[in-house]
Amino acid sequence: MKIIKIKLIDSVNDKFHVTLTLIDTKDTNFHSIDGFLPCLPSQLEKSFTEWKEAYYELEDVRKVATRLSPKSVINHSSAEQKEQVKITLNQWLDSGDSSWQPIRDELISVLSSLQSSGEEIRLFLDIQNPNLRRIPWQEWSLFESRFPQTEIAIRVKGRGRFQGVHKFSKVRIILIVGKSDGINTELDLEVIQKLKEKGAEVKCLNQPTREILSNALREEPGYHILVFAGHSCSKEDGSIGWIDLNEEDRLSIEEFKNSLKYAIDKGLQLAIFNSCDGLGLANQLANLGLSRIIVMREPVPDMVAVKFLEYFFTEFANNKSLFESLQIAKGRLEHFEKPYPGAMWLPTLCIQETALSHSLRWEQFIHPNIWEKFKLLLKLANMGCLQITVAGILLGLLVINVVKNQFISTPDISSPPEISQNISQGEKLLISSKTTLAKEMGIQEFDSEKFARAIAQFRQSLQENKNDPETLIYLNNAIAQQKSNSNIGEKIEIAVSVPIGQESDIAQEILRGVAQAQSEFNCGLNKISLAITNIQNSLNCSGSLNGKFLKVTIADDEYLPKTAEKIAQALVENEKIIAVIGHSSSDMTLQAGDIYNEAKLVAISPTSTSISLKNFGKFVFRVAPSDDLAAQTLWNYLNQQNWAEQKIAVAYIPGNNYSESLAKEFEKLLPANFVHKCDISVGNFSASDCVESAKNQGAEIMFLIPATDRTLGNAIGIINNAKGLKLLGGDSAYNPRVLKDAGKQGEQANFTLAIPWHRYPNSEFAQTAKKFWNAEVSWRTATSYDATKTIIKAMDKMMGNYSRKQLQSILSSRDFYVKGVTGKIRFGKSGDRQFLDKDKSVLVQVKPSTKSGKYEFVILER
């Protein structure tokens, strides 16, 4: 998916400074171009004002508008003025201004490419000027005639990072019907009630009191969608809005913000204000953390509002995306253009930038077990090659399995119902990107305990996509379960917790290390590889340690502390699991670590580095070096380069355990040199402003410490703007996106990173892994491989006594060690890894490859 962002800032010389950015959400590639747009023409302002005056005088508009001047005599019709607005808007945007033309040309090029590829076109306007926000940009002939599928959203500033979607057995909707003088809100209610046929659970509040509203918003388990029908209005500048809750109460969002925050934290994803003049409501809700709000930008006639709601949910409940559903619904309002000129301009999507790369669909609200099984059945039916009797049997099995998964815990996984959707041994699809039909059929067979069939399907899927670690783990699990069921092998169970919901690429890097070690243990890497290459060959695995097979439970902690805590509790309660690999981030490990320590379940994090984890507890271990060692490695590098006296700026995330920890440890070594700090997590972050402020403070070096997918994008923006600065980075910046989106600029800035491991040309593990996965592997794969091998080595020493307590005792014993890929691994009694000097962090720099010319991370020899 690609997103077009146009940012307009009031500039000098009566022009708007414009930045056009193309964002590729698949690999978060950014491409930007700057220019200037002439100031808003007075004729456009005049025609828009006159349209608005004429529109407000329409009888059905006066019935619903709450902010009106006395009725006046006007000399123009709204239809005439609507056409005049279109004419003057196109004259402005099609002007031949030399500083605007490159932006326009680039936009045409991008739109043409997206349209020809059939991709959904999303355009995002980042505009603070209230007059520009209200202008009907969709009437530009570039969109209207040449690229009509383009949907335009308005950016609203908000707090916090994007919240993951909470899934329930039904889509949960709360409808608030406010004061409704002059409008028929019964029709809105009918539209929403019909959604029950689509699997929705609807709660309706009819002119509630403040207390009833507050209590309803705090109900468990929470809501996905909030709909308001009634009267509302906003200030002229769109900063504040009000709703008429009942005959007595007119409320701003501020007046029930705590209840709204609660609902947002519990999973509210979308608010629709099917009421008048809602831009102020959108701004206030975004400030509370809601990512997506649909409002009407002007007063809306009653029937237009009802029909919009009907048209929108017709598409959205049939699983079209939020953008596509809105675009279709607005298009279907065209028959209202004669009585209400400008009706199609009214519905407006306001969205936070953090939610741009996250598509929203109806299916995402529903428990994945149900949805994935229905999708699979539809795929099978569409194949057209199944007999009716077979389809009937599959349907029967599907119903049985849906019921089983909804109401009965699987034998191997004990977990609360609300978190079971995040945990799988092979019966659920957790990583949906690049899935195959064979994989989905394998999951179906695994869930039905048809393990031989599951093995065949997973082998087929890996032949199509060998780089998929989830499928490889599921294949190994099916083998382990089959051997156990046949009494010719014994299962040993561990778990791995990764951030699939927010950081899928990082999750897969970690899973590759676990999957590779598991494959070596169960079958041998060569045997597995041959079985994937030629699926006709038999696959007969003998296990290790006298017929033992490793079974791995995958858990998705979503990079959310509350979810990590629930995951930990679920894994603790599954007594078959003797160890956990995870969590990936320091924040998640700290959140879950108390539970592991209290329950005496070993957890080995392959990637957490925060100094806060030192001496954290006897049952929490980690493979990667802590942030003090990484900071020391970077400090040594500065000394070697004679740069230790230069002033330093840091771009980091305050409050994030990893990012803040590394920043503080580095600052301890150079306390007098730190002159500026940028918070790269804020919603309105500007890379150029960060760099400019750092240089103004005399900084010559910038230290980049992102921690999430979005903040990595902001760090890449800094690299691309860092002319004259030297750059340092933490291990989170070790990402292919840096090379792809800022390789040249990274090389020019001597971008140097401290990471736990890097592939040497003669590294046996790197060569083996590359051959097996058909790709280079990262340090996260190496450390997660080491974490798994450490558990396996400890199991060898347990002599068949596989217990959690015994495992912890062996790992912390003085004579235990593992010769790992990342060096010698041994732990102190507190769980911290004891490092030798040669096994500490290594340094890599961005350099062009001597073979391909593409940029890569190259290790700096000591």
Side-chain angles (χ1 to χ4, degrees):
M1 181 192 306
K2 294 182 176 65
I3 297 165
I4 305 166
K5 175 181 173 182
I6 299 178
K7 184 174 184 178
L8 280 81
I9 305 173
D10 290 348
S11 186
V12 294
N13 301 323
D14 295 324
K15 288 189 176 184
F16 294 105
H17 180 201
V18 184
T19 301
L20 171 65
T21 305
L22 176 64
I23 304 170
D24 187 334
T25 62
K26 185 177 180 181
D27 54 11
T28 319
N29 181 29
F30 293 85
H31 170 66
S32 296
I33 182 173
D34 288 284
F36 292 89
L37 179 63
C39 66
L40 200 62
S42 59
Q43 187 58 39
L44 175 54
E45 290 186 280
K46 180 175 181 291
S47 61
F48 185 77
T49 300
E50 289 179 349
W51 165 80
K52 194 172 176 180
E53 289 173 350
Y55 175 78
Y56 271 57
E57 293 303 326
L58 296 172
E59 188 59 34
D60 285 343
V61 176
R62 292 192 69 83
K63 286 180 182 179
V64 296
T66 59
R67 177 171 52 81
L68 283 177
S69 58
K71 192 171 181 66
S72 58
V73 177
I74 57 175
N75 298 317
H76 42 260
S77 72
S78 56
E80 291 172 351
Q81 289 313 125
K82 176 197 168 185
E83 290 305 310
Q84 193 59 35
V85 169
K86 290 177 62 174
I87 291 169
T88 53
L89 175 70
N90 279 280
Q91 287 174 345
W92 178 46
L93 295 176
D94 287 331
S95 68
D97 188 282
S98 59
S99 56
W100 167 247
Q101 193 63 33
I103 295 281
R104 185 179 180 280
D105 293 344
E106 181 69 13
L107 182 58
I108 292 172
S109 173
V110 169
L111 289 170
S112 298
S113 174
L114 293 178
Q115 185 165 274
S116 63
S117 67
E119 293 187 62
E120 183 176 73
I121 301 176
R122 302 181 179 186
L123 193 139
F124 179 65
L125 291 178
D126 186 353
I127 302 172
Q128 298 308 310
N129 186 305
N131 294 327
L132 287 178
R133 289 163 73 94
R134 290 184 179 273
I135 283 175
W137 290 80
Q138 64 268 34
E139 294 288 6
W140 187 11
S141 60
L142 189 65
F143 301 135
E144 184 189 33
S145 302
R146 298 181 60 180
F147 306 104
Q149 302 305 314
T150 305
E151 181 52 45
I152 301 170
I154 301 292
R155 181 202 177 188
V156 282
K157 292 183 179 180
R159 67 169 183 89
R161 61 185 178 86
F162 177 75
Q163 295 290 325
V165 177
H166 294 217
K167 299 177 179 69
F168 308 126
S169 60
K170 292 185 176 183
V171 178
R172 287 182 47 84
I173 301 173
I174 181 169
L175 170 65
I176 304 166
V177 178
K179 180 181 176 181
S180 50
D181 295 353
I183 54 178
N184 186 359
T185 51
E186 289 296 321
L187 297 175
D188 297 75
L189 178 59
E190 284 181 22
V191 172
I192 300 302
Q193 292 287 14
K194 283 184 180 179
L195 293 174
K196 291 180 179 179
E197 300 170 8
K198 293 290 186 179
E201 182 178 332
V202 178
K203 184 179 184 66
C204 178
L205 304 178
N206 189 11
Q207 297 194 37
T209 64
R210 295 181 184 221
E211 181 181 4
I212 290 173
L213 174 62
S214 177
N215 291 339
L217 290 172
R218 292 174 178 272
E219 285 185 6
E220 299 288 347
Y223 301 97
H224 296 118
I225 303 172
L226 180 152
V227 180
F228 175 81
H231 290 297
S232 64
C233 62
S234 298
K235 285 182 69 175
E236 281 283 356
D237 64 0
S239 59
I240 300 174
W242 296 266
I243 61 170
D244 289 345
L245 187 63
N246 49 51
E247 294 294 335
E248 297 179 357
D249 293 320
R250 169 173 285 189
L251 300 182
S252 72
I253 298 298
E254 182 71 19
E255 292 177 86
F256 58 113
K257 66 177 182 181
N258 291 332
S259 299
L260 281 168
K261 280 183 181 178
Y262 189 90
I264 293 166
D265 289 341
K266 286 294 181 181
L268 186 65
Q269 291 289 322
L270 173 66
I272 302 174
F273 286 85
N274 206 33
S275 56
C276 297
D277 196 12
L279 287 175
L281 298 168
N283 276 324
Q284 288 180 292
L285 278 167
N287 284 331
L288 297 181
L290 187 60
S291 300
R292 310 171 183 91
I293 310 102
I294 295 175
V295 298
M296 301 292 178
R297 66 176 77 190
E298 304 290 350
V300 56
D302 191 17
M303 283 309 299
V304 175
V306 172
K307 285 298 181 181
F308 167 74
L309 203 63
E310 177 186 331
Y311 297 153
F312 173 78
F313 276 113
T314 296
E315 306 303 326
F316 191 61
N318 280 313
N319 206 41
K320 286 191 170 66
S321 73
L322 176 64
F323 273 75
E324 186 179 5
S325 301
L326 182 64
Q327 194 266 336
I328 293 172
K330 287 164 67 174
R332 291 186 66 183
L333 294 176
E334 63 183 352
H335 60 281
F336 286 113
E337 283 296 316
K338 186 172 182 180
Y340 313 116
M344 293 170 65
W345 299 351
L346 303 179
T348 304
L349 173 61
C350 300
I351 187 168
Q352 289 194 47
E353 193 158 2
T354 52
L356 272 180
S357 59
H358 300 269
S359 181
L360 192 67
R361 295 176 186 269
W362 185 268
E363 71 172 52
Q364 293 174 262
F365 301 138
I366 303 174
H367 193 287
N369 281 354
I370 297 175
W371 187 255
E372 291 301 330
K373 293 181 193 310
F374 273 109
K375 284 203 302 183
L376 178 60
L377 183 63
L378 289 173
K379 282 187 178 180
L380 292 172
N382 287 333
M383 289 171 65
C385 57
L386 296 177
Q387 297 294 324
I388 297 297
T389 53
V390 176
I393 293 169
L394 283 172
L395 179 59
L397 288 172
L398 171 63
V399 172
I400 292 169
N401 285 326
V402 167
V403 172
K404 182 183 77 171
N405 279 322
Q406 281 299 100
F407 301 106
I408 304 174
S409 299
T410 58
D412 287 340
I413 301 177
S414 174
S415 58
E418 67 273 13
I419 204 64
S420 63
Q421 62 185 321
N422 292 51
I423 301 175
S424 175
Q425 295 176 334
E427 73 284 356
K428 300 186 192 76
L429 180 70
L430 297 182
I431 301 175
S432 58
S433 61
K434 296 183 180 179
T435 190
T436 66
L437 180 59
K439 180 178 181 179
E440 294 189 31
M441 293 181 73
I443 289 170
Q444 178 74 15
E445 298 289 4
F446 190 103
D447 193 35
S448 301
E449 301 185 2
K450 303 289 194 303
F451 297 112
R453 294 181 182 179
I455 289 167
Q457 293 293 346
F458 290 142
R459 287 172 66 182
Q460 175 65 49
S461 181
L462 285 165
Q463 190 177 67
E464 298 174 38
N465 181 18
K466 192 177 182 182
N467 206 28
D468 179 3
E470 181 185 35
T471 302
L472 184 60
I473 288 173
Y474 287 174
L475 170 61
N476 275 283
N477 288 349
I479 293 168
Q481 193 64 53
Q482 184 187 51
K483 295 291 185 181
S484 176
N485 290 354
S486 303
N487 294 317
I488 55 176
E490 180 183 347
K491 291 181 300 178
I492 303 173
E493 297 194 26
I494 65 172
V496 54
S497 185
V498 287
I500 296 169
Q502 295 286 341
E503 304 282 353
S504 178
D505 289 342
I506 288 176
Q508 291 182 72
E509 288 179 35
I510 294 169
L511 291 177
R512 285 188 190 102
V514 177
Q516 186 169 332
Q518 182 191 25
S519 297
E520 291 175 358
F521 185 86
N522 287 348
C523 301
L525 213 56
N526 287 336
K527 186 174 286 188
I528 283 276
S529 188
L530 288 172
I532 294 169
T533 303
N534 188 346
I535 58 176
Q536 302 303 320
N537 286 353
S538 61
L539 176 58
N540 186 19
C541 301
S542 55
S544 298
L545 305 181
N546 296 318
K548 306 299 189 299
F549 291 84
L550 192 62
K551 188 174 183 182
V552 178
T553 295
I554 303 175
D556 174 18
D557 65 28
E558 299 178 329
Y559 203 94
L560 296 171
K562 289 182 180 179
T563 305
E565 193 174 274
K566 291 179 181 179
I567 289 291
Q569 191 61 49
L571 298 180
V572 160
E573 291 172 4
N574 185 349
E575 295 180 357
K576 294 181 180 180
I577 292 174
I578 66 167
V580 177
I581 297 171
H583 295 233
S584 65
S585 75
S586 298
D587 288 88
M588 304 309 109
T589 304
L590 286 164
Q591 189 76 17
D594 286 331
I595 295 172
Y596 295 132
N597 278 321
E598 184 178 350
K600 296 180 171 56
L601 173 62
V602 165
I604 303 181
S605 173
T607 52
S608 298
T609 60
S610 171
I611 202 73
S612 301
L613 285 164
K614 280 203 166 189
N615 301 312
F616 183 66
K618 293 183 178 180
F619 282 81
V620 177
F621 300 80
R622 54 181 171 166
V623 173
S626 61
D627 290 330
D628 57 340
L629 298 179
Q632 183 69 51
T633 301
L634 288 169
W635 184 84
N636 291 342
Y637 168 72
L638 292 184
N639 263 337
Q640 291 168 5
Q641 301 297 316
N642 295 318
W643 294 342
E645 301 301 319
Q646 294 184 4
K647 293 181 178 180
I648 300 170
V650 62
Y652 76 124
I653 309 170
N656 178 279
N657 268 292
Y658 157 70
S659 187
E660 193 168 79
S661 167
L662 183 53
K664 286 182 177 179
E665 291 305 310
F666 194 55
E667 189 174 7
K668 284 180 184 178
L669 300 171
L670 299 157
N673 296 41
F674 271 60
V675 295
H676 183 69
K677 295 180 179 180
C678 294
D679 180 355
I680 56 175
S681 65
V682 295
N684 61 345
F685 176 78
S686 167
S688 57
D689 290 348
C690 171
V691 171
E692 184 177 355
S693 298
K695 288 181 177 179
N696 288 341
Q697 297 298 319
E700 297 174 79
I701 299 170
M702 176 78 81
F703 188 19
L704 306 180
I705 322 176
T708 62
D709 186 71
R710 184 175 66 84
T711 55
L712 177 63
N714 289 339
I716 289 171
I718 292 174
I719 299 171
N720 284 322
N721 283 273
K723 294 180 180 178
L725 288 177
K726 294 180 284 288
L727 297 177
L728 303 176
D731 55 49
S732 59
Y734 185 91
N735 193 295
R737 287 168 48 200
V738 171
L739 303 173
K740 182 177 180 181
D741 300 343
K744 182 178 181 180
Q745 293 81 2
E747 181 199 10
Q748 291 172 349
N750 290 306
F751 191 22
T752 305
L753 291 73
I755 61 175
W757 173 87
H758 190 68
R759 54 187 181 275
Y760 288 90
N762 58 351
S763 166
E764 182 180 350
F765 171 77
Q767 292 174 2
T768 301
K770 182 179 180 180
K771 181 179 179 182
F772 181 77
W773 296 107
N774 290 334
E776 300 283 6
V777 292
S778 74
W779 69 264
R780 299 178 187 91
T781 299
T783 53
S784 56
Y785 176 87
D786 271 359
T788 313
K789 295 292 282 187
T790 299
I791 293 171
I792 290 171
K793 178 69 178 291
M795 290 192 310
D796 188 19
K797 291 187 171 293
M798 291 168 77
M799 306 297 291
N801 180 24
Y802 301 120
S803 70
R804 295 176 176 181
K805 184 177 179 181
Q806 177 74 354
L807 179 62
Q808 188 277 338
S809 177
I810 290 172
L811 289 174
S812 58
S813 64
R814 294 184 64 181
D815 60 347
F816 176 81
Y817 74 91
V818 178
K819 187 178 180 181
V821 173
T822 59
K824 188 174 183 180
I825 302 170
R826 62 184 304 167
F827 303 103
K829 289 185 177 180
S830 64
D832 285 334
R833 180 174 172 181
Q834 309 297 298
F835 279 93
L836 302 173
D837 283 340
K838 68 183 182 66
D839 295 330
K840 292 181 181 179
S841 296
V842 297
L843 294 174
V844 292
Q845 274 188 345
V846 176
K847 299 284 186 183
S849 169
T850 54
K851 294 181 179 179
S852 67
K854 294 181 179 180
Y855 288 94
E856 60 182 0
F857 292 109
V858 176
I859 195 164
L860 295 184
E861 299 292 344
R862 300 177 186 178

